[in-house]
Amino acid sequence: MSLTPRQKDCLDFIVSYTKDRGYSPNYREIAEGIGVKAISNVHYYVERLKVRGYVKTERSIEVLKTSAI
């Protein structure tokens, strides 16, 4: 399944942030990083990424694979 542009932005931000800092961003940091105001939107994007197998969340967000674009 392909990602929506916003889901891809979210995944790309998570990957970049995690690579730069060594730990995953929280939802507020993702929102700021991709330019959305509502944390609920970020929650939705991350949930879609989980369903599609791109990330998993337990204590933090863990990237399982990157976008195939």
Side-chain angles (χ1 to χ4, degrees):
M1 290 181 121
S2 63
L3 301 176
T4 66
R6 192 54 94 176
Q7 290 166 353
K8 183 176 180 332
D9 290 346
C10 185
L11 180 60
D12 290 347
F13 179 81
I14 294 167
V15 169
S16 176
Y17 186 102
T18 303
K19 184 190 292 187
D20 291 346
R21 292 173 177 81
Y23 56 90
S24 61
N26 63 39
Y27 286 8
R28 185 173 311 282
E29 291 165 330
I30 296 170
E32 291 172 5
I34 66 172
V36 299
K37 295 184 181 193
I39 302 299
S40 61
N41 288 344
V42 172
H43 182 267
Y44 176 78
Y45 303 143
V46 171
E47 287 300 310
R48 297 293 88 204
L49 291 172
K50 283 172 51 177
V51 167
R52 293 187 171 137
Y54 285 91
V55 300
K56 71 177 183 177
T57 59
E58 288 177 7
R59 289 185 175 185
S60 64
I61 301 168
E62 181 181 345
V63 175
L64 301 176
K65 62 183 179 179
T66 59
S67 176
I69 294 180

